Amino acid sequence: MFDVLVYLYENYWRPDACPDHAQLTRKLSAVGFENDEIQEALSWLDGLAHAAQTHAGSQGPLSMRVFTQAEQEQLGEECMGFISFLESAGVLPAPMREIVIDRAMVSNGSPMSLEDLKIIVLMVFWSLGEEPDALILDELFVDAADRLIH
């Protein structure tokens, strides 16, 4: 599913630029994605659109987030730390954080890998038509092992 999401991010500059589900399914299939993977990604994107509507303006800027036991198990320490990092950097406001957590909770894999969470964060920005700043894009795309330390 995450490969399909990355493909959509790289090939469609915003969600409304994507064709309808039937046409998109044909395009993704022609590129080589499996039907199950395509359907899972499209369902996930539908949930993302719903979550964006549900959580818009749902939390104030000073709200504090306490993770449930299920969220802690699904996200793991590394992902919860990354979410906290993005919040403290001022790039992931509370409503967006809630969308990220919502979408992470319906994704496979427990605990979730940091790479998959980064894709979710990227897709949340994409779905809202927002471009993260260059430093955050670097954080989302560049593997820490590939960074050069000066």
Side-chain angles (χ1 to χ4, degrees), residues 63-137:
S63 65
M64 185 175 116
R65 181 63 154 87
V66 177
F67 291 95
T68 66
Q69 183 65 34
E71 290 169 342
Q72 290 176 32
E73 291 171 7
Q74 176 68 13
L75 294 169
E77 287 182 30
E78 190 175 30
C79 290
M80 288 188 304
F82 187 69
I83 290 170
S84 292
F85 160 73
L86 293 176
E87 277 188 283
S88 66
V91 297
L92 191 66
M96 286 178 75
R97 175 198 64 213
E98 293 305 308
I99 298 169
V100 167
I101 293 169
D102 176 83
R103 295 291 76 209
M105 291 303 293
V106 297
S107 301
N108 295 329
S110 180
M112 169 168 273
S113 75
L114 183 57
E115 290 74 29
D116 289 348
L117 180 73
K118 287 179 178 184
I119 293 169
I120 290 173
V121 171
L122 199 59
M123 293 308 292
V124 168
F125 275 99
W126 179 80
S127 73
L128 298 173
E130 295 186 25
E131 179 81 21
D133 70 24
L135 292 175
I136 296 305
L137 274 176

Side-chain angles (χ1 to χ4, degrees), residues 6-107:
V6 170
Y7 178 87
L8 293 175
Y9 181 85
E10 290 175 345
N11 289 282
Y12 297 97
W13 59 288
R14 60 178 206 247
D16 59 353
C18 291
D20 64 65
H21 278 8
Q23 186 178 2
L24 187 56
T25 298
R26 287 191 298 276
K27 282 186 168 204
L28 292 169
S29 185
V31 173
F33 292 109
E34 297 292 325
N35 191 49
D36 290 347
E37 189 177 23
I38 294 168
Q39 295 311 313
E40 183 182 4
L42 293 179
S43 176
W44 189 91
L45 284 171
D46 288 342
L48 175 59
H50 177 72
Q53 291 174 344
T54 302
H55 293 293
S58 65
Q59 307 245 332
L62 300 176
S63 65
M64 185 175 116
R65 181 63 154 87
V66 177
F67 291 95
T68 66
Q69 183 65 34
E71 290 169 342
Q72 290 176 32
E73 291 171 7
Q74 176 68 13
L75 294 169
E77 287 182 30
E78 190 175 30
C79 290
M80 288 188 304
F82 187 69
I83 290 170
S84 292
F85 160 73
L86 293 176
E87 277 188 283
S88 66
V91 297
L92 191 66
M96 286 178 75
R97 175 198 64 213
E98 293 305 308
I99 298 169
V100 167
I101 293 169
D102 176 83
R103 295 291 76 209
M105 291 303 293
V106 297
S107 301

Side-chain angles (χ1 to χ4, degrees), residues 114-115 118 137-148:
L114 183 57
E115 290 74 29
K118 287 179 178 184
L137 274 176
D138 182 54
E139 192 64 40
L140 293 172
F141 279 118
V142 179
D143 186 11
D146 295 336
R147 293 184 197 272
L148 290 176

